[in-house]
Amino acid sequence: MLRLRSGGFWCAAPARPGCLGLLAGLRRAPGASSLHASAGELQGEPDRYGGVSVRLGPLERLDAAAFQRRLQAAIQQWRSEGRVAVWLHIPILQSRFIAPAASLGFCFHHAESNSSTLTLWLGEGPSRLPGYATHQVGVAGAVFDESTRKILVVQDRNKLKNMWKFPGGLSEPGEDIGDTAVREVFEETGIKAEFRSLLSIRQQHTNPGAFGKSDMYIICRLKPHSFTINFCQHECLRCEWMDLKDLIRTENTTPITSRVARLLLYGHREGFDKIDLSMEELPAVYTGLFYKLYHKELPENYKIMTGID
Amino acid sequence: MLRLRSGGFWCAAPARPGCLGLLAGLRRAPGASSLHASAGELQGEPDRYGGVSVRLGPLERLDAAAFQRRLQAAIQQWRSEGRVAVWLHIPILQSRFIAPAASLGFCFHHAESNSSTLTLWLGEGPSRLPGYATHQVGVAGAVFDESTRKILVVQDRNKLKNMWKFPGGLSEPGEDIGDTAVREVFEETGIKAEFRSLLSIRQQHTNPGAFGKSDMYIICRLKPHSFTINFCQHECLRCEWMDLKDLIRTENTTPITSRVARLLLYGHREGFDKIDLSMEELPAVYTGLFYKLYHKELPENYKIMTGID
C-alpha cells in the first residue's frame, strides 16, 4: 500500500482502494499552505505527502482549552485545503495538550523518552499513515569450535524449564545483528567470539515479552576466540562447551536449538557454505546510508556475472 | 543482559555490572507489597521482577497536582521497599497526569492508539528495563516464473530514481513475512503468487522513513499463480515480466535487486535448495504460541538425526 510519511519518504506498503484519496489530496494541496495561529503559537508545516506537522515548543504557554480551540480551527482550515493528515509533536512536559487533541480525534502514533507524536487522519477511507516499529529483534550466538566439535550452550536461570540453548538477547537500538550476538555471548558466558554468518530467523507475534509486538529472533554462527567460560551467575544456571552430537541427542533443549545443532553438524561435515547466510555491507540508493545484506554466498562466477549465458 | 518485564517475562538481554541490582531488589521485595492510596485511586501492582505497575482508570478524577503528590509519596514507599521500577499506564484522555509524572523523573516507554506507558527506574545503575519495538519490517516478493525465466519487477512512481525493483512494502502488525510478500505483490501488480522461501535479509538503522528506528527488509521467493499484470497506477510507474538475465544486466536497478537476481539465476540452474531458506512452523516452549522458523533446508537424513555418527 502507498503510505504517507511525516517529513519522510514514500513508503511502498499495501495498495488499497483508498490510495486514490492521497493523490487527490496532493493535487488539492500543492504544498505551500501553512497555518500560523494568531499569536504564532500554533504553527503547521505542510509536508510533501499532503499532511501537516505541528511542533509544540517546550515553552508553549497556551492553556489546554485555548489550545483545543485553536487546534479545532486549524483542523477545519487544513481540511478545507485538502490536507490528509495532521502530525502533532508534543514535548512530555507539554502533555496537557494531549487530552484536548484526543477529544478532537487524535491518537498516539508513538512516544519515546521525552516526547509523543499524535496523528489525525483527514483523508478519505481508513488511515494510510505508516505505523511505528512493529518488531523487537533478539539475537543468539551459536559459538561452534570446529576443531573440537564443541558448541557453547547455557541454561537460563529464570525460565521455568531449564533447557539448553544458545546465549543471546535483545538488540540495542541501532545495533547490528552480528554485534548483538557477539556482545550477548560475551556478557552471558565470558567467551569472546567473532561473527561468521546468519543461520536462522524466527518470527513470532503478540509476544507477551514484547509488549504485544512481534519478535524476530535470529541465530548467528560465531567462531570462538577464547575458551574459558566465566558465565553470568544472575542470568545462567549452567554454561558448557557441549559436544555438538550431545546437543542433537538431548531432549532437554528447545526445538529451534535442536534444529540449529543439526544444521551445524551438516555444515561441519559438508561445508559451512551449505548453511550460512553471509553478510555484505552495501550503500543504500536513496538515503546514502549503509546497510547489511545477508543471503547465501554466491559462487565467484555468479558474483561477477552481468548476464552471461 | 538481564532485563525486567512489566507483567511479562525475564528477557535474556545483555548482562552488565548492573545485573546485581536486580536480584538484590528482588530479595528485598518479595512480591507482596502494593500501595493503595487513600481514596483507592492510585494503586500499584507489584510484578515478579521487582517492579510495580500503576494503571490509571479512565474515570480517575484526581487533579494533576493531587496526583503528583500521591505519586511522589508512592515512589518513596516503593523505593523503601526495594522496588526497582515503576510502570505507569495512562489512558489518552487522562494525559494531564503525564507532565506531573515527568517532573518526578518518568519518561515515555511507548504509546499507541489510546494509551501511553511511562517508566521510572528506581534500581541501581542505568535502567535495565526492556525497550520497545526497535524495527519495522518490510518484505519484497521476487516472483520468478521458472518455465519462462521471467521475473516480476516494478518501478516506484514516487522515488527520485526510477529503478527496477521487486514489489513490496511494510508488514502489517502481526503479519507473517510470507503473507506480507504475497499481499504486497498482489496489491502492487495484480499478480497472485505463493510463498516459497526467504532469500535475503537487509538491516538498516536510523532510517528516516522509520521514524528514526531500524528497518529489516526481507526478500522472499514467490511462485506465480497468475500472469496478467494489473499494476497500481498510484504506486508504480511501470511493471513488467522481465527476463532474469536482463535484470542482471541492467544498471537501472538497486544493488540488492541485482544480487537477488543473480542468486535466483544460480538457484534456477543449480537448484533452489542452494539459495532458499525454507519455512517451518513450530510451537514455542514457554508461551504455547507458534512461530515460523526459516533456515537452509536440511537433507532428510539430518532431519531425523538424533545424534548418529
Side-chain angles (χ1 to χ4, degrees):
Chain A
M1 181 170 61
L2 209 56
R3 290 189 185 275
L4 304 162
R5 284 280 173 217
S6 164
F9 290 62
W10 284 105
C11 179
R16 298 234 183 77
C19 107
L20 273 165
L22 168 66
L23 291 184
L26 276 174
R27 284 196 203 101
R28 290 200 303 272
S33 71
S34 69
L35 182 105
H36 297 259
S38 49
E41 289 161 319
L42 182 64
Q43 190 168 334
E45 282 172 43
D47 63 43
R48 61 196 181 102
Y49 310 117
V52 60
S53 277
V54 178
R55 289 180 189 281
L56 298 183
L59 299 175
E60 180 60 64
R61 290 175 177 279
L62 282 176
D63 69 29
F67 170 78
Q68 184 169 345
R69 284 192 301 273
R70 292 193 187 191
L71 185 60
Q72 190 162 25
I75 291 168
Q76 271 188 338
Q77 173 71 19
W78 293 321
R79 206 186 280 276
S80 74
E81 291 172 2
R83 292 276 149 201
V84 294
V86 186
W87 298 81
L88 186 54
H89 305 277
I90 302 181
I92 195 168
L93 290 174
Q94 302 283 39
S95 293
R96 67 182 184 280
F97 298 134
I98 294 174
S103 70
L104 296 175
F106 280 82
C107 282
F108 281 117
H109 182 271
H110 66 275
E112 190 174 26
S113 185
N114 288 314
S115 73
S116 65
T117 297
L118 288 84
T119 54
L120 177 66
W121 176 248
L122 302 176
E124 291 168 27
S127 167
R128 280 173 294 109
L129 295 174
Y132 195 60
T134 53
H135 285 66
Q136 68 178 22
V137 172
V139 186
V143 189
F144 181 61
D145 180 22
E146 294 179 53
S147 60
T148 59
R149 213 181 55 188
K150 299 238 181 207
I151 178 103
L152 185 66
V153 285
V154 297
Q155 286 186 4
D156 277 352
R157 178 173 287 277
N158 301 295
K159 292 282 191 184
L160 301 175
K161 301 171 186 175
N162 290 315
M163 291 181 159
W164 289 111
K165 54 187 277 294
F166 304 120
L170 289 181
S171 274
E172 301 284 346
E175 189 176 46
D176 282 337
I177 292 165
D179 295 339
T180 305
V182 168
R183 175 179 57 73
E184 287 287 342
V185 164
F186 180 70
E187 289 176 346
E188 282 190 35
T189 70
I191 296 297
K192 290 178 189 156
E194 176 195 338
F195 173 81
R196 298 312 294 264
S197 73
L198 195 155
L199 292 176
S200 177
I201 297 158
R202 180 195 72 181
Q203 189 185 37
Q204 191 171 273
H205 303 298
T206 60
N207 194 316
F211 305 95
K213 291 287 164 182
S214 299
D215 178 90
M216 194 83 84
Y217 199 64
I218 296 171
I219 300 190
C220 298
R221 182 168 72 84
L222 269 55
K223 180 182 171 175
H225 286 310
S226 74
F227 299 90
T228 308
I229 289 171
N230 176 18
F231 70 92
C232 174
Q233 306 280 336
H234 303 287
E235 276 190 85
C236 305
L237 193 65
R238 297 186 197 170
C239 175
E240 283 182 16
W241 285 106
M242 187 183 281
D243 189 277
L244 185 58
K245 288 194 180 172
D246 290 338
L247 184 58
I248 291 172
R249 269 188 212 108
T250 185
E251 288 184 3
N252 192 25
T253 189
T254 65
I256 189 168
T257 309
S258 184
R259 272 190 187 48
V260 170
R262 278 175 270 171
L263 204 59
L264 282 166
L265 186 62
Y266 175 48
H268 182 55
R269 286 176 172 174
E270 313 288 337
F272 285 115
D273 62 308
K274 293 274 193 297
I275 63 165
D276 284 348
L277 296 201
S278 51
M279 186 272 286
E280 146 177 57
E281 191 158 14
L282 292 168
V285 173
Y286 300 109
T287 59
L289 298 169
F290 281 77
Y291 59 79
K292 286 187 170 157
L293 185 67
Y294 305 82
H295 57 69
K296 269 303 303 291
E297 181 91 10
L298 277 167
E300 281 306 318
N301 54 332
Y302 283 88
K303 278 188 197 168
I304 53 168
M305 167 177 291
T306 52
I308 346 94
D309 200 323
Chain B
M1 182 170 62
L2 209 55
R3 291 190 185 272
L4 304 160
R5 284 279 173 217
S6 165
F9 289 63
W10 285 104
C11 179
R16 298 235 183 75
C19 108
L20 272 164
L22 169 66
L23 291 184
L26 277 175
R27 282 195 205 100
R28 290 199 304 271
S33 71
S34 69
L35 182 106
H36 296 260
S38 49
E41 289 162 319
L42 183 63
Q43 190 169 334
E45 283 171 41
D47 63 42
R48 61 197 182 101
Y49 311 117
V52 61
S53 277
V54 179
R55 289 181 189 278
L56 298 182
L59 300 175
E60 180 61 63
R61 290 173 177 280
L62 281 176
D63 68 31
F67 170 78
Q68 185 168 345
R69 285 192 301 274
R70 292 192 186 192
L71 185 59
Q72 191 162 23
I75 291 167
Q76 272 189 338
Q77 173 71 17
W78 293 322
R79 206 186 280 273
S80 73
E81 291 172 1
R83 292 275 149 202
V84 294
V86 186
W87 298 80
L88 187 54
H89 305 277
I90 302 181
I92 196 167
L93 290 174
Q94 302 284 37
S95 293
R96 68 181 184 280
F97 299 133
I98 294 174
S103 69
L104 296 175
F106 280 83
C107 281
F108 281 117
H109 182 270
H110 67 274
E112 190 175 25
S113 184
N114 288 314
S115 73
S116 65
T117 297
L118 287 84
T119 55
L120 176 67
W121 177 248
L122 302 176
E124 291 167 27
S127 166
R128 281 174 293 107
L129 295 174
Y132 196 58
T134 53
H135 285 66
Q136 69 178 22
V137 172
V139 186
V143 188
F144 181 61
D145 181 21
E146 294 178 54
S147 60
T148 59
R149 215 181 54 188
K150 300 241 180 202
I151 178 103
L152 185 66
V153 284
V154 297
Q155 286 186 4
D156 277 352
R157 177 172 288 277
N158 300 296
K159 291 283 190 184
L160 301 175
K161 301 171 187 176
N162 290 316
M163 292 181 157
W164 290 111
K165 55 186 277 292
F166 305 120
L170 289 181
S171 275
E172 301 285 344
E175 189 176 47
D176 282 336
I177 292 166
D179 294 339
T180 305
V182 168
R183 176 179 56 73
E184 286 288 341
V185 164
F186 180 71
E187 289 175 346
E188 281 190 34
T189 71
I191 296 296
K192 289 179 189 157
E194 175 195 339
F195 173 81
R196 297 313 292 265
S197 72
L198 195 156
L199 292 175
S200 177
I201 297 159
R202 181 196 71 182
Q203 188 185 37
Q204 191 170 274
H205 302 299
T206 59
N207 193 316
F211 305 95
K213 291 287 165 179
S214 299
D215 178 90
M216 194 84 82
Y217 198 65
I218 295 170
I219 300 191
C220 298
R221 182 168 73 83
L222 269 55
K223 180 182 171 176
H225 286 310
S226 73
F227 300 89
T228 307
I229 289 171
N230 176 18
F231 70 91
C232 173
Q233 306 280 335
H234 303 289
E235 277 189 84
C236 305
L237 193 65
R238 297 186 197 171
C239 176
E240 283 184 15
W241 284 106
M242 186 183 282
D243 189 277
L244 184 57
K245 288 192 180 172
D246 291 337
L247 184 59
I248 291 172
R249 269 187 212 108
T250 185
E251 288 185 4
N252 190 25
T253 188
T254 65
I256 190 168
T257 308
S258 185
R259 271 184 189 52
V260 171
R262 278 175 270 170
L263 204 59
L264 282 166
L265 185 62
Y266 175 48
H268 183 55
R269 286 175 172 177
E270 313 289 335
F272 285 114
D273 62 309
K274 292 275 192 300
I275 62 165
D276 285 347
L277 294 203
S278 51
M279 186 273 286
E280 145 177 58
E281 191 158 13
L282 291 168
V285 173
Y286 300 109
T287 59
L289 298 169
F290 281 77
Y291 59 78
K292 286 186 170 156
L293 184 68
Y294 304 82
H295 57 71
K296 269 303 304 289
E297 181 92 9
L298 277 167
E300 283 305 318
N301 53 331
Y302 283 88
K303 278 189 197 168
I304 53 168
M305 169 177 290
T306 52
I308 344 93
D309 203 323

